[in-house]
């Protein structure tokens, strides 16, 4: 489990309404707010847009040493709102960490190594779960979870329960699959076609047996006897 980096960030305190958000964005700054269990009144400030881009450039949890008016805060970037058209950051929420208060967050999962089933059998790695939800104290916040998939053969999987969760409370189902190794696409398609052909052949054989008057499946014999009685009448 990798520990997060501490990113130094400088904010400029602002009063609501003192400067329009559009004016801030013209200066390549974005409005932000600091909140948390130890914050009596939310602190509104602005930060450089480039700082948000740097924080988000790597897919892992990053903590911030935020300085506002000479005072330092250890924070976690909780949420960023984006413009749906330009994809530029519009607003950011920072959470002030408290050493005794657990925080809920989403932690990315990174795969490590080349699976045996890929290396030796030409299989494919599928990762249906890339982010896991956890609850954790600030001192044990992970930057990411790493999973070594080197020994996975075709048909093998790893689940949430196999993550290193020491001191961490998982909020997702422990049986949820993170990664699995499946057969090569061509082999998978060939196997599927064979199974369909076998099922079709079984249906044809069963139909022929009934047509020849052999034993009917359980539960159908009575119905056949009733039809014969009606025909005799």
């Amino acid at each position: 489990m990798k520990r997060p980096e501490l990113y130094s960030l400088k904010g400029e305190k602002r009063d609501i309404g003192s400067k329009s958000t559009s004016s801030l964005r013209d200066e390549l700054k974005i409005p932000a707010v600091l909140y948390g269990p130890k914050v009596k009144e939310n602190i509104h400030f602005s930060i450089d847009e480039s700082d948000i881009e740097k924080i988000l450039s790597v897919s892992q949890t990053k903590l911030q040493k935020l300085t506002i008016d000479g005072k330092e805060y250890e924070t976690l970037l909780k949420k960023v709102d984006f413009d749906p058209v330009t994809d530029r950051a519009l607003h950011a929420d920072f959470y002030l960490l408290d050493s005794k208060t657990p925080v809920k967050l989403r932690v990315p999962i990174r795969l490590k190594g080349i699976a045996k089933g890929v290396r030796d059998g030409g299989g494919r790695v599928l990762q249906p779960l890339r982010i896991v939800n956890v609850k954790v104290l600030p001192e044990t916040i992970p930057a990411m979870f790493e999973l070594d998939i080197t020994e996975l053969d075709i048909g093998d999987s790893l689940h949430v329960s196999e993550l290193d969760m020491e001191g961490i409370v998982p909020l997702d189902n422990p049986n949820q699959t993170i990664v699995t190794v499946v057969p090569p696409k061509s082999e998978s398609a060939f196997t599927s076609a064979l199974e369909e052909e076998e099922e079709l052949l079984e249906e044809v054989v069963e139909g022929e047996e009934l047509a020849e008057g052999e034993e009917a499946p359980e539960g159908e014999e009575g119905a056949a006897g009733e039809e014969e009685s009606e025909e005799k009448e």
Side-chain angles (χ1 to χ4, degrees), residues 113-129:
I114 300 175
K116 178 181 177 182
V118 174
R119 186 178 61 250
D120 300 337
R124 297 172 294 144
V125 173
L126 300 182
Q127 187 180 358
L129 186 66

Side-chain angles (χ1 to χ4, degrees), residues 33-104:
V33 63
L34 176 65
Y35 70 99
K38 298 296 183 180
V39 179
K40 294 181 180 179
E41 187 174 345
N42 291 353
I43 300 173
H44 297 272
F45 61 100
S46 63
I47 54 175
D48 290 339
E49 188 175 346
S50 59
D51 281 320
I52 287 293
E53 292 174 354
K54 288 176 183 177
I55 293 172
L56 298 177
S57 62
V58 180
S59 179
Q60 65 179 49
T61 307
K62 283 189 178 180
L63 304 182
Q64 300 80 40
K65 184 172 69 175
L66 173 64
T67 304
I68 305 174
D69 286 350
K71 189 173 180 180
E72 290 186 354
Y73 305 90
E74 187 171 340
T75 69
L76 171 70
L77 178 60
K78 262 288 200 176
K79 181 182 177 184
V80 180
D81 295 324
F82 295 93
D83 187 294
V85 178
T86 64
D87 205 34
R88 285 182 63 185
L90 297 177
H91 189 275
D93 292 356
F94 289 84
Y95 179 86
L96 179 61
L97 295 170
D98 174 58
S99 60
K100 296 181 180 180
T101 305
V103 61
K104 293 180 182 179

